[in-house]
Amino acid sequence: MEFCITTNFDLFETVKLITPYLMGVVVLLIWFFQKGKEVLASEAKEVNKDLLELAVVSISIIHEGSKDKAELQSKLARFKELSEKAHRSLLFINKSKKIKNLETLINNFYLYKESIYHSTNNTLNCSDVFVIIQFLQSDHMKDNVKKFDYFIDKIIDIIHPYAVYKKYF
């Protein structure tokens, strides 16, 4: 005890010197984790928008039909663009944070997306307008779109709470 008193060691001055640095580190760590959550929430919000628009496009391909092949090809190109963007975002979210059942839903989403796109694209390239209309109105195609929309709904149910900060990554 006498040693501390005799040396010129002031604990209070040392604490005053170290405190700003400790506070800086604490703030940096809090900001770092919050920014990571914000990035994933933003990605979840974007994928929600893409999935909702994709559902509209897929239903419009089947139920609304089109006036000609060019319009249908335009809708199909939009379908492909949105579905690939949504798929990449979902893979990013799933890679960043393993969410229960999301991987299975992503796989099923991908399978039905590919089924709808390739079968419609092949029919468009090889057939006349009457055959295309018959194909789009077939029960098989309507079932694929219904299942595809089902998986979109399930994915949105899982991702939406993260997008509105009700759940955190």
Side-chain angles (χ1 to χ4, degrees):
M1 180 96 172
E2 196 171 297
F3 177 72
C4 288
I5 293 172
T6 59
T7 60
N8 201 6
F9 178 74
D10 193 358
L11 184 62
F12 183 69
E13 289 297 322
T14 305
V15 169
K16 282 181 16 181
L17 182 66
I18 294 175
T19 301
Y21 297 108
L22 290 175
M23 292 300 293
V25 169
V26 168
V27 169
L28 177 68
L29 289 173
I30 291 171
W31 174 83
F32 179 76
F33 288 113
Q34 181 61 35
K35 191 64 176 173
K37 292 175 185 178
E38 184 182 323
V39 167
L40 288 172
S42 176
E43 191 71 27
K45 184 174 83 171
E46 288 301 315
V47 79
N48 271 346
K49 289 178 184 178
D50 291 341
L51 289 172
L52 290 170
E53 190 174 344
L54 184 59
V56 170
V57 170
S58 67
I59 289 174
S60 75
I61 288 173
I62 301 303
H63 294 294
E64 292 176 11
S66 59
K67 297 174 183 131
D68 59 1
K69 276 187 174 182
E71 184 181 344
L72 189 56
Q73 286 174 332
S74 171
K75 287 180 182 180
L76 198 58
R78 183 72 179 143
F79 175 86
K80 182 178 182 181
E81 175 189 335
L82 283 171
S83 62
E84 288 177 352
K85 183 179 175 191
H87 189 238
R88 281 190 304 270
S89 295
L90 287 168
L91 290 174
F92 170 74
I93 289 170
N94 194 47
K95 182 84 170 171
S96 301
K97 170 75 174 165
K98 295 289 184 187
I99 301 172
K100 185 178 180 184
N101 298 331
L102 186 60
E103 187 170 358
T104 304
L105 290 171
I106 292 171
N107 290 338
N108 288 324
F109 167 84
Y110 179 77
L111 290 174
Y112 281 102
K113 169 194 77 109
E114 290 295 310
S115 172
I116 292 169
Y117 176 76
H118 288 297
S119 59
T120 306
N121 194 35
N122 289 340
T123 303
L124 259 173
N125 292 334
C126 302
S127 304
D128 64 352
V129 176
F130 182 71
V131 174
I132 293 171
I133 292 171
Q134 279 184 325
F135 171 75
L136 292 176
Q137 297 302 318
S138 69
D139 290 336
H140 174 71
M141 192 64 178
K142 287 181 180 179
D143 287 342
N144 278 352
V145 170
K146 282 182 186 177
K147 290 175 184 172
F148 182 68
D149 286 340
Y150 169 79
F151 289 115
I152 287 176
D153 287 343
K154 290 297 179 188
I155 290 170
I156 288 173
D157 288 345
I158 290 174
I159 296 295
H160 182 73
Y162 295 98
V164 294
Y165 294 99
K166 287 187 179 179
K167 286 186 177 179
Y168 298 104
F169 287 100

